[in-house]
Amino acid sequence: MTEKKTIRLNKFIASAGLTSRRGADDLVKQGKVNINGETADSPGIQVDPEIDQVEVNGKLIEYDSQAENVYVLLHKTIETVTTAYDPEGRKTVLDLLPAEIVKKRVFPVGRLDFYSEGLLMLTTDGELCNRMTHPKWHLPKIYQLTIRGKLTERQISIMESGMCLEDGELLAPVKVKTLSEIGDTSKYELILHQGINRQIRRMFSDFKKTILRLKRVRQGRLELGDLKPGKWRELTAKEITLLKNDLKMK
C-alpha cells in the first residue's frame, strides 16, 4: 500500500508563489486560509496536495512540486566560516541557522571571508547558485568598509579605472563613494562587478590601508536592510522571481 505524501500547510502555500513560508504563517494566523472549506488554525497542519483543497483569501491555490527549493538571506557575522563544515572547528554560517533549515541541506552562494560580515544567500537551488557565481551572470555587489586613514583621489581613480594588483591581476573598474571621513577613519561604499577572491582586501593591502570593518550590504536586487548580525530570513516570492529573471532563468 502506497503511503500518502503530506506536507506542511505553509510549504503548500509558499509553493504557489504567493509568499514565503513565514508569510504563509502570517496568512494562517490572520484566518485567511481555508482547507476543504474550514479555516486553518495552524501553519503546521499536514495537507495532501492530491486531495485537500486549499484557499487563500477565498481563492483556490495549487501545490507546485517544483517550487520546493529554499532561499535564505543571512546576515553573516565576523569570525564565521562560509562553509558547511570547518575542519578547524570554527563556527560556520550553518551554525547561525535553525536546524529545520540546515536539514534541508542549504549551501552558501559565493563567499564572505572570515573577518567580513553582511549579506550572504544560502539555498538548495543548484542552478541558481551556479548562475549567481558564474562570471557571465555576475550580479553587482555593494560593500561598505571602514579603514584607518583615507584614500587619496589618485587611489580612488585607480580603482574606478580598473586596478592592476601587485601580483599582476587586472581588475574590472570599481565604483567608489566616500560615505564619511571622521578623525583618523574613513568609510566608503564600493560596487564590484566581478567575483575575484578577497578582491577588496587585496586592493587595500596594495594601498597599504588597514580595513577595520567590511560588510556586504547588497547583491543584485537583494538588500541586507535592517537585518541584524546573525539573523536570517527567507526570500520573498517576489525577490525569488526578480532574481531568477535577472539570471535569465525560466
Side-chain angles (χ1 to χ4, degrees):
M1 183 175 179
T2 303
E3 184 179 352
K4 287 185 177 180
K5 292 185 178 181
T6 61
I7 60 172
R8 287 172 60 93
L9 177 59
N10 59 359
K11 180 178 180 180
F12 185 109
I13 297 171
S15 81
L18 297 180
T19 183
S20 66
R21 293 193 192 185
R22 284 190 173 182
D25 291 349
D26 291 334
L27 289 173
V28 174
K29 292 176 183 177
Q30 294 164 12
K32 297 180 178 180
V33 180
N34 289 346
I35 303 175
N36 301 325
E38 297 186 4
T39 302
D41 58 7
S42 169
I45 292 176
Q46 295 290 316
V47 295
D48 187 332
E50 296 182 1
I51 299 176
D52 295 317
Q53 292 191 322
V54 178
E55 296 177 320
V56 176
N57 290 323
K59 183 178 180 180
L60 187 67
I61 63 173
E62 295 184 355
Y63 175 65
D64 183 357
S65 62
Q66 301 302 312
E68 296 184 13
N69 280 314
V70 178
Y71 304 88
V72 169
L73 191 154
L74 170 71
H75 187 155
K76 176 191 173 298
T77 55
I78 61 171
E79 299 186 353
T80 306
V81 185
T82 308
T83 185
Y85 169 76
D86 181 58
E88 298 180 29
R90 295 172 296 181
K91 183 168 66 174
T92 75
V93 291
L94 294 190
D95 292 323
L96 300 175
L97 300 174
E100 64 189 65
I101 295 296
V102 175
K103 71 180 182 181
K104 296 180 185 299
R105 299 184 182 278
V106 294
F107 45 82
V109 179
R111 289 182 176 274
L112 278 176
D113 68 47
F114 190 63
Y115 292 107
S116 296
E117 61 184 302
L119 187 155
L120 180 70
M121 182 178 168
L122 297 96
T123 185
T124 55
D125 190 333
E127 181 184 359
L128 183 138
C129 179
N130 290 337
R131 293 217 176 194
M132 286 188 71
T133 54
H134 193 283
K136 178 180 179 180
W137 304 102
H138 200 77
L139 301 175
K141 299 174 184 176
I142 300 180
Y143 296 81
Q144 292 180 355
L145 72 156
T146 302
I147 67 169
R148 183 170 290 116
K150 66 179 182 179
L151 294 170
T152 65
E153 290 298 322
R154 174 168 172 72
Q155 288 170 332
I156 292 176
S157 177
I158 288 173
M159 286 192 286
E160 293 191 327
S161 300
M163 181 176 178
C164 183
L165 297 174
E166 289 184 355
D167 61 13
E169 186 165 12
L170 182 62
L171 305 177
V174 174
K175 180 65 177 177
V176 182
K177 178 181 179 181
T178 302
L179 298 179
S180 66
E181 293 179 348
I182 302 175
D184 63 348
T185 63
S186 303
K187 187 174 182 179
Y188 300 92
E189 180 177 274
L190 274 61
I191 303 179
L192 277 61
H193 293 273
Q194 61 185 156
I196 303 300
N197 185 40
R198 295 174 60 84
Q199 178 177 343
I200 293 176
R201 294 193 183 278
R202 291 164 67 191
M203 289 191 300
F204 280 74
S205 175
D206 283 2
F207 287 148
K208 305 298 187 291
K209 298 295 184 182
T210 300
I211 294 178
L212 303 176
R213 187 179 187 187
L214 177 57
K215 178 168 70 172
R216 182 159 66 200
V217 297
R218 182 166 180 162
Q219 182 172 10
R221 296 176 185 264
L222 302 180
E223 295 187 62
L224 186 63
D226 58 3
L227 192 65
K228 302 299 182 184
K231 300 300 182 181
W232 65 279
R233 67 172 177 83
E234 289 185 80
L235 267 62
T236 65
K238 181 178 180 180
E239 285 176 322
I240 295 170
T241 298
L242 291 174
L243 185 57
K244 288 185 175 182
N245 287 343
D246 290 341
L247 296 170
K248 301 298 188 291
M249 294 175 64
K250 294 182 180 180

